[in-house]
Amino acid sequence: MSEDEKRVNANSVEFKQGVEAGLNSEEDTKNWKAGNELGQELREEGETAEPVRGDS
């Protein structure tokens, strides 16, 4: 194990609080929403575009 790695008890209160804080992070929510919007735009773009032909 390197010096930077630490053993973490995933059952500890501190760990659970950290996970909960990360899941409820405003920044995380903003990034998720941006990714979701991009995915929707790409899906819609793909539905309206002509199929790609591999005529070689």
Side-chain angles (χ1 to χ4, degrees), residues 19-36:
V19 169
E20 190 69 28
L23 291 173
N24 293 326
S25 165
E26 186 67 34
E27 189 68 23
D28 186 52
T29 301
K30 183 175 81 174
N31 291 337
W32 179 86
K33 287 180 181 177
N36 191 36

Side-chain angles (χ1 to χ4, degrees), residues 7-19:
R7 296 251 179 224
V8 177
N9 180 358
N11 294 322
S12 71
V13 173
E14 293 84 5
F15 182 83
K16 290 179 182 177
Q17 288 174 342
V19 169

